[in-house]
């Protein structure tokens, strides 16, 4: 028994030493903390209807791996793959489609699609891939002006919008489960009071509007028989909440898998706090260079 333990300890020491010498840029784990190779994760992702790739917005490893996943899924699904992103709002879908089809130039697209400030470093490669592969790229987020209406007022204020405006969001009324841990935590962060629909609740409702809208546009693609790779901030899909919750409300049979991105000082094992955040956890060194 002592010999077995000694061999095990030696094996672990060699593994840790090798990792320290190799300085890996990332490591992948399953929800339970067991490590997994990219090829094995990809095998599972290929079986999913929807993949929600949760990122930290300034993490270059996550953006690189999103592109690699997109390329590898396309090899399997070909033109039945769609890519969606929180980073584009639904009312710019027309200019996005025009750019993807080559009808408008890159400068016009970047001026009119309201891309995030880190678009060129972090999202442009994925958009360029979708364009070259001839696959749909879907703007899934609600226009921020409508989220602002909810944050400063209420969900009910959306009823006053035009029918055209409502095309850019999930169908009303939007149900919000304030008992979801993520929403409860968000509410506690912003404080509360006892006067009916509080400011904190409104902020949570604005977040729920985004989650519901992204789920809505994802389902538009799956209803066409397409598989969807969706890029979003990890907080929109961690712990099977946010977008995942809304997908399950509409299509509980949908096979949805999640990836989240976390940072740790060491990559030898997954920290307890990160276990079960997603089906797959991408761990990046805390010292990794950020894009902004």
């Amino acid at each position: 028994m002592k010999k077995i333990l000694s061999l095990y300890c030696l094996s672990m020491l060699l593994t840790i030493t090798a990792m320290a010498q190799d300085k890996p840029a990332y490591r992948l784990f399953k929800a339970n903390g067991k490590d997994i190779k990219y090829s094995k994760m990809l095998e599972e992702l290929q079986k999913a209807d929807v993949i929600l790739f949760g990122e930290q917005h300034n993490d270059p490893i996550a953006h690189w791996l999103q592109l690699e996943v997109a390329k590898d899924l396309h090899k399997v699904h070909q033109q039945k793959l769609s890519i969606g992103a929180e980073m584009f709002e639904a009312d710019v879908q027309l200019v996005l489609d025009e750019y993807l089809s080559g009808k408008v130039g890159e400068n016009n697209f970047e001026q009119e699609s309201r891309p995030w400030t880190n678009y060129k470093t972090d999202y442009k490669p994925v958009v360029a891939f979708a364009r070259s592969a001839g696959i749909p790229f879907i703007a899934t987020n609600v226009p921020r002006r409508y989220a602002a209406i909810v944050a400063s007022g209420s969900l009910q204020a959306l009823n006053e919008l035009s029918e055209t405006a409502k095309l850019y969001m999930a169908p009303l009324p939007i149900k919000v489960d304030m008992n979801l841990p993520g929403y409860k935590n968000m509410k506690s962060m912003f404080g509360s009071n006892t006067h009916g629909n509080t400011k904190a609740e409104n902020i949570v409702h604005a977040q729920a509007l985004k989650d519901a809208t992204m789920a809505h546009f994802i389902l538009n693609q799956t209803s066409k028989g397409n598989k969807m790779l969706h890029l979003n901030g990890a907080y929109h899909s961690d712990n099977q909440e946010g977008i995942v919750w809304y997908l399950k409300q509409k299509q509980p049979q949908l096979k949805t898998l999640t990836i989240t991105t976390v940072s740790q000082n060491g990559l030898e094992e997954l920290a307890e706090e990160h276990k079960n955040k997603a089906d797959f956890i991408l761990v990046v060194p805390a010292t990794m260079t950020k894009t902004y």
Side-chain angles (χ1 to χ4, degrees), residues 8 37 56 73 180 216 232 246 250 263 269:
Y8 174 76
K37 299 295 185 184
Q56 300 303 320
L73 289 176
L180 290 174
H216 170 67
N232 53 264
Y246 282 101
K250 296 290 186 180
S263 64
E269 59 183 31

Side-chain angles (χ1 to χ4, degrees), residues 47-278:
K47 302 171 188 175
D49 299 307
V50 176
I51 299 153
L52 301 174
F53 198 135
E55 62 174 50
Q56 300 303 320
H57 295 315
N58 61 355
D59 190 296
I61 297 298
H63 297 306
W64 165 77
L65 198 62
Q66 287 169 342
L67 178 59
E68 295 304 306
V69 169
K71 290 177 178 177
D72 288 331
L73 289 176
H74 180 251
K75 291 175 184 176
V76 176
H77 301 308
Q78 292 296 303
Q79 306 317 110
K80 283 297 184 180
L81 175 68
S82 295
I83 301 174
E86 169 197 3
M87 300 79 200
F88 289 98
E89 296 164 26
D91 61 344
V92 303
Q93 188 65 56
L94 176 60
V95 67
L96 183 52
D97 289 342
E98 289 172 339
Y99 172 65
L100 293 172
S101 64
K103 292 182 175 67
V104 300
E106 191 167 50
N107 287 340
N108 292 103
F109 165 68
E110 292 183 9
Q111 289 171 9
E112 298 179 39
S113 61
R114 305 194 302 274
W116 288 14
T117 54
N118 59 325
Y119 168 74
K120 289 187 177 180
T121 55
D122 298 340
Y123 306 111
K124 184 175 180 177
V126 184
V127 175
F129 169 70
R131 189 185 192 199
S132 65
I135 57 178
F137 196 104
I138 310 302
T140 62
N141 208 353
V142 69
R144 65 193 71 180
R145 59 188 180 274
Y146 301 142
I149 287 174
V150 175
S152 61
S154 69
L155 278 170
Q156 286 66 41
L158 297 177
N159 294 323
E160 304 303 316
L161 297 175
S162 70
E163 294 306 309
T164 300
K166 292 173 185 176
L167 294 175
Y168 304 129
M169 63 188 71
L172 303 177
I174 292 171
K175 178 182 177 182
V176 182
D177 185 351
M178 294 297 289
N179 290 317
L180 290 174
Y183 289 166
K184 288 177 72 174
N185 290 340
M186 179 177 286
K187 182 178 177 181
S188 66
M189 285 173 57
F190 288 95
S192 183
N193 58 48
T194 58
H195 302 295
N197 195 18
T198 67
K199 175 65 175 178
E201 286 176 340
N202 289 341
I203 293 172
V204 175
H205 288 174
Q207 175 84 349
L209 172 63
K210 296 178 182 181
D211 291 335
T213 298
M214 286 187 270
H216 170 67
F217 287 112
I218 289 170
L219 291 174
N220 280 354
Q221 291 300 304
T222 60
S223 67
K224 299 175 183 177
N226 288 355
K227 307 295 184 181
M228 169 68 95
L229 169 63
H230 191 265
L231 316 181
N232 53 264
Y235 44 86
H236 285 292
S237 54
D238 276 356
N239 304 306
Q240 307 298 315
E241 296 181 33
I243 301 170
V244 183
W245 188 86
Y246 282 101
L247 289 174
K248 289 180 177 178
Q249 297 304 301
K250 296 290 186 180
Q251 296 287 343
Q253 79 283 0
L254 206 66
K255 183 171 178 55
T256 301
L257 291 176
T258 57
I259 303 171
T260 194
T261 307
V262 302
S263 64
Q264 294 183 178
N265 290 324
L267 305 188
E268 294 79 19
E269 59 183 31
L270 185 65
E272 285 294 326
E273 65 187 282
H274 299 316
K275 289 182 179 179
N276 299 307
K277 274 188 174 181

